[in-house]
Amino acid sequence: MKYVDEFRDREKAATLVKKIQGLVSEIAITKDRPIAIMEVCGGHTHSIFRYGIEGMLPKEIELVHGPGCPVCVLPMGRIDDCVAVAERPEVICTTFGDAMRVPGSRKSLLQAKADGADVRMVYSPMDSLALARKNPDREVVFFGIGFETTMPSTALTILQAEAEGITNFSVFCNHITIVPTIKAILDSPDLQLDGFLGPGHVSMVIGTKPYEFVSRYYRRPMVVAGFEPLDVLQSIWMVLKQIKDGRAEIENQYARIVPDDGNDRALEAVAKVYELREFFEWRGLGSIDHSGVRIRDDYAVYDAEQKFAMPNIKIADPKSCQCGEVLKGVIKPWQCKVFGTACTPETPLGALMVSSEGACAAYYQYGGIKKQAVAS
């Protein structure tokens, strides 16, 4: 990235921290509850720990790590369904690297691969479509995951498959939507949040307007944030400024990337290919209405759920794993009973330790970073 250094400048970071400290001193804060700001996106969580941002903030600010990691919120039953399809002899199962290691109730996709299933890592659904072209005698299934960030690429791949008349390609659709997720968090009795750092990548697709309910109905400020250390610090300052001023608005710190109205072409493809599910099951969060999408009947030939029989059984997480509480921000990863002992990146019990955006993986990898490490 040509201009990345300007977003990691030590002096500017120190200036922002002083401004944050100044704002905190002007806000009435009770001793028993700090200002709680949730970063919705797992990418922000990793930036916060990689650059030691949490350690630089005043103790009056608590960063709450949200559920914005699509790999982490997949329930075990959906992993089991994908494994069942992958184990079919006629199938080449493809997915992103993170999804291969998420544990199901029997095994992960990576373990299925070790047992002989044809499971392949790809970098985009278009790679899966290329495999379908090269293997017309096989069924290529793409395990589609992600929020609105990755929905368009999967939708455009389906449209490309239709244009070329390729019918041995299908998608096991597990794409999810961010707005119902944030609403479910705001409605949770377990959490008291004062503001949000909004997801940068999702907002690049949907824009900032869909978040207006956060400020209008819940009276909470949200700042859509970039991922560099100065982005995160400035966004925290912007949230605090709103709190000090008694405002609740949706602001866009990441305006160099995120358009307020979103990406019209991407949204058009999403609307054409998908429709909302009535509900979708989330790991740790339960069933959330209209929080996932399915492939429309017009494109049923590309829907793996209609092409293959799947177990479709709900599986509870291991009782020792507290992914649900971590996902909701109720506890910190290190407060989980198995964190760093039975559950590590090498032997994960939960998805939060697997994904590159998982909060547990961030704590495990960067937990020892000191506050002087910012902008290294």
Side-chain angles (χ1 to χ4, degrees):
M1 197 171 159
K2 186 175 179 181
Y3 301 108
V4 71
D5 289 345
E6 66 187 70
F7 295 102
R8 300 180 183 180
D9 185 281
R10 288 178 181 272
E11 292 184 5
K12 291 177 181 176
T15 299
L16 279 167
V17 169
K18 287 182 180 178
K19 287 182 176 292
I20 288 170
Q21 291 170 340
L23 280 174
V24 167
S25 68
E26 297 177 40
I27 300 172
I29 303 171
T30 59
K31 292 182 179 179
D32 59 336
R33 195 179 83 82
I35 299 172
I37 300 174
M38 173 177 279
E39 81 275 4
V40 177
C41 180
H44 287 137
T45 303
H46 273 254
S47 292
I48 286 164
F49 282 96
R50 179 182 178 185
Y51 299 108
I53 291 171
E54 189 169 48
M56 294 188 73
L57 298 174
K59 65 181 183 303
E60 292 87 355
I61 298 175
E62 179 185 7
L63 295 181
V64 181
H65 316 303
C69 167
V71 172
C72 302
V73 297
L74 279 176
M76 277 192 171
R78 300 295 283 185
I79 300 295
D80 286 355
D81 287 346
C82 194
V83 168
V85 172
E87 290 178 330
R88 297 175 68 104
E90 76 274 21
V91 167
I92 300 173
C93 180
T94 63
T95 190
F96 300 134
D98 282 357
M100 293 183 69
R101 298 180 58 239
V102 179
S105 65
R106 295 189 300 118
K107 61 180 73 173
S108 66
L109 285 170
L110 192 61
Q111 290 168 325
K113 178 180 175 68
D115 291 340
D118 194 347
V119 180
R120 308 186 193 185
M121 186 186 77
V122 294
Y123 294 99
S124 79
M126 284 293 185
D127 293 342
S128 301
L129 186 59
L131 280 171
R133 290 192 199 98
K134 294 177 182 177
N135 298 273
D137 58 331
R138 303 283 300 279
E139 288 286 342
V140 178
V141 178
F142 176 66
F143 187 20
I145 59 173
F147 286 97
E148 288 91 342
T149 310
T150 54
M151 276 188 204
S153 61
T154 306
L156 289 166
T157 302
I158 288 174
L159 294 174
Q160 183 65 33
E162 181 191 45
E164 296 184 32
I166 298 173
T167 58
N168 64 320
F169 168 79
S170 60
V171 174
F172 179 34
C173 183
N174 288 271
H175 287 297
I176 47 182
T177 58
I178 195 68
V179 167
T181 314
I182 296 173
K183 185 179 184 303
I185 290 169
L186 284 163
D187 289 336
S188 172
D190 299 326
L191 278 178
Q192 287 184 304
L193 296 172
D194 299 294
F196 290 89
L197 300 188
H201 294 147
V202 167
S203 305
M204 181 176 62
V205 175
I206 68 172
T208 62
K209 292 181 180 179
Y211 306 122
E212 288 181 355
F213 75 98
V214 176
S215 59
R216 185 175 301 168
Y217 299 110
Y218 291 92
R219 302 302 302 164
R220 298 291 189 276
M222 173 182 279
V223 176
V224 175
F227 295 90
E228 292 298 324
L230 294 188
D231 287 325
V232 176
L233 285 170
Q234 184 184 20
S235 298
I236 292 170
W237 175 82
M238 291 169 71
V239 170
L240 292 171
K241 187 72 166 60
Q242 287 198 48
I243 293 172
K244 174 187 172 294
D245 295 343
R247 294 181 291 118
E249 300 173 6
I250 309 302
E251 295 183 321
N252 185 6
Q253 184 275 338
Y254 205 27
R256 67 182 186 275
I257 298 294
V258 173
D260 288 338
D261 294 324
N263 185 312
D264 289 340
R265 187 180 178 196
L267 291 171
E268 181 182 345
V270 166
K272 187 172 184 179
V273 172
Y274 306 117
E275 62 185 5
L276 286 174
R277 295 179 187 265
E278 186 176 350
F279 58 85
F280 191 79
E281 190 76 20
W282 293 57
R283 184 182 296 234
L285 298 176
S287 178
I288 302 178
D289 292 348
H290 305 120
S291 63
V293 297
R294 63 163 61 91
I295 296 170
R296 291 185 182 274
D297 288 342
D298 290 348
Y299 301 96
V301 68
Y302 303 108
D303 187 351
E305 290 186 79
Q306 297 196 42
K307 186 176 282 191
F308 303 99
M310 295 187 182
N312 196 23
I313 300 174
K314 291 184 179 180
I315 308 292
D317 285 340
K319 291 183 179 179
S320 59
C321 180
Q322 295 176 272
C323 271
E325 289 90 337
V326 177
L327 277 168
K328 290 185 289 187
V330 176
I331 66 171
K332 300 290 187 183
W334 56 268
Q335 293 174 305
C336 176
K337 299 172 185 176
V338 295
F339 174 80
T341 54
C343 186
T344 69
E346 291 75 29
T347 58
L349 288 178
L352 286 173
M353 189 63 86
V354 174
S355 170
S356 61
E357 293 191 353
C360 292
Y363 265 80
Y364 191 92
Q365 184 173 1
Y366 300 117
I369 283 182
K370 305 299 182 183
K371 59 186 178 183
Q372 292 88 352
V374 169
S376 60

